[in-house]
Amino acid sequence: MKYSSHVAVVTGAGSGIGQALTQALVADGARVAACDIDEAGLAATAASCAPGQVSSYRLDVADRDAVLGCAEAVRRDLGPASMVFNNAGVDLISTVADTTWDDLDWLLGIINGTKAFLPQLCESGTQDRPARLINISSAFGLIAVPSQSAYSTSKFAVRGFTEALRQEMIIDRRPVTVHCVHPGVVRTNFSANARVSEHDPDAERTRKLGDRAALTTPEKAARLILRGVEKNRGRILIGADGRIAAALPRILGSRSTDIVAHAARLASSRLDRRSPKTAP
């Protein structure tokens, strides 16, 4: 029971990777503060775990005041957090031209979670047993793709923010390890819940491509995340597509951008050919 002394906070715990992380942490003894805007999903997650090990908190991570209030509630109910998984994420399928300012504000809840819980992590960690902060970025935080401009913006930002914080914790000798996770496409309801621009004629096609590209189960992603945290890896890659996204810019440099564009156009053309024709 390697996490029996830990209080772990998991956002986006009502489904997908967040649900799988909650289940894995509880199985190894952690007490989990499961957070999500979806109350039905939270209830299902709690019901799937050992009784008494999950405390549920309805939370919109884009609401800064709500996140700060949640951090206070977790401290009051369970004690200071020693592991925080900023997993809750949203997708936006839209071109740069069609993306609104509100869309951009909607995408960066991870910063709220980090700022709200970092003081607790610094308090609960020791040099022998450091606290853990895990921010979920994306393969699209390593390489950009068309119709995901705002989403890539947020995930590149998460990557820079998290890597800078890891350096600061090392420089200040804080007992907190910081990890940035880059999953490829995981089999969740993520694409189904994406916000889609009504002005982008290719947006729905992009959603379908994402659904078909899902290679990794949430359970496998959770196992790989926890393994990477235990090995103190600053960057954790999930899935073959996550590893490819990390490799392409290193191998091809700026040419990788054009290659991704050509690959996306080819995949889109194939999807059009396979789609059933409708009568005029």
Side-chain angles (χ1 to χ4, degrees):
M1 305 293 282
K2 66 182 76 172
Y3 301 126
S4 59
S5 59
H6 284 277
V7 172
V9 177
V10 181
T11 66
S15 63
I17 295 175
Q19 184 177 76
L21 280 168
T22 299
Q23 292 165 342
L25 289 161
V26 167
D28 271 328
R31 290 176 296 157
V32 178
C35 309
D36 203 300
I37 198 169
D38 178 7
E39 292 181 284
L42 276 178
T45 298
S48 72
C49 296
Q53 290 299 104
V54 175
S55 298
S56 298
Y57 301 85
R58 186 188 182 279
L59 178 65
D60 178 358
V61 296
D63 184 338
R64 184 175 303 158
D65 289 338
V67 177
L68 291 169
C70 181
E72 294 176 0
V74 170
R75 176 192 285 277
R76 180 186 65 241
D77 298 342
L78 304 175
S82 55
M83 302 180 80
V84 173
F85 296 80
N86 282 311
N87 164 75
V90 289
D91 192 11
L92 171 67
I93 302 174
S94 175
T95 64
V96 173
D98 292 327
T99 300
T100 68
W101 294 111
D102 178 64
D103 289 333
L104 292 170
D105 292 339
W106 184 59
L107 288 165
L108 284 170
I110 278 178
I111 293 175
N112 293 334
T114 298
K115 290 283 288 179
F117 282 99
L118 186 59
Q120 295 185 33
L121 296 174
C122 291
E123 174 188 340
S124 63
T126 66
Q127 295 302 327
D128 293 333
R129 198 205 71 167
R132 314 287 196 180
L133 174 65
I134 302 92
N135 286 342
I136 310 297
S137 176
S138 168
F140 296 163
L142 298 166
I143 190 167
V145 297
S147 291
Q148 293 279 350
S149 55
Y151 183 71
S152 287
T153 296
S154 71
K155 295 308 180 182
F156 271 81
V158 168
R159 171 185 160 196
F161 175 80
T162 305
E163 290 180 356
L165 179 59
R166 181 177 172 91
Q167 295 168 20
E168 291 164 4
M169 294 294 99
I170 292 171
I171 291 169
D172 293 341
R173 300 182 185 276
R174 296 284 190 176
V176 180
T177 65
V178 181
H179 313 266
C180 194
V181 180
H182 297 275
V185 185
V186 179
R187 294 176 204 157
T188 68
N189 58 3
F190 190 67
S191 293
N193 292 333
R195 182 183 291 185
V196 179
S197 170
E198 61 183 13
H199 304 293
D200 184 356
D202 295 325
E204 191 59 36
R205 182 185 302 167
T206 302
R207 189 208 294 271
K208 291 178 181 178
L209 286 171
D211 289 339
R212 292 191 176 197
L215 300 175
T216 306
T217 66
E219 293 75 18
K220 183 175 181 180
R223 290 195 302 270
L224 291 172
I225 290 168
L226 293 173
R227 185 185 306 166
V229 170
E230 289 159 11
K231 294 183 177 180
N232 195 20
R233 292 176 179 160
R235 179 180 294 180
I236 302 171
L237 305 175
I238 306 298
D241 42 355
R243 295 191 294 274
I244 289 170
L248 277 178
R250 293 201 307 269
I251 296 170
L252 300 175
S254 61
R255 289 180 299 163
S256 63
T257 302
D258 295 339
I259 290 171
V260 170
H262 289 305
R265 183 169 60 184
L266 178 61
S268 181
S269 296
R270 288 181 175 176
L271 184 62
D272 283 344
R273 289 196 298 270
R274 292 176 181 175
S275 297
K277 302 297 183 182
T278 57

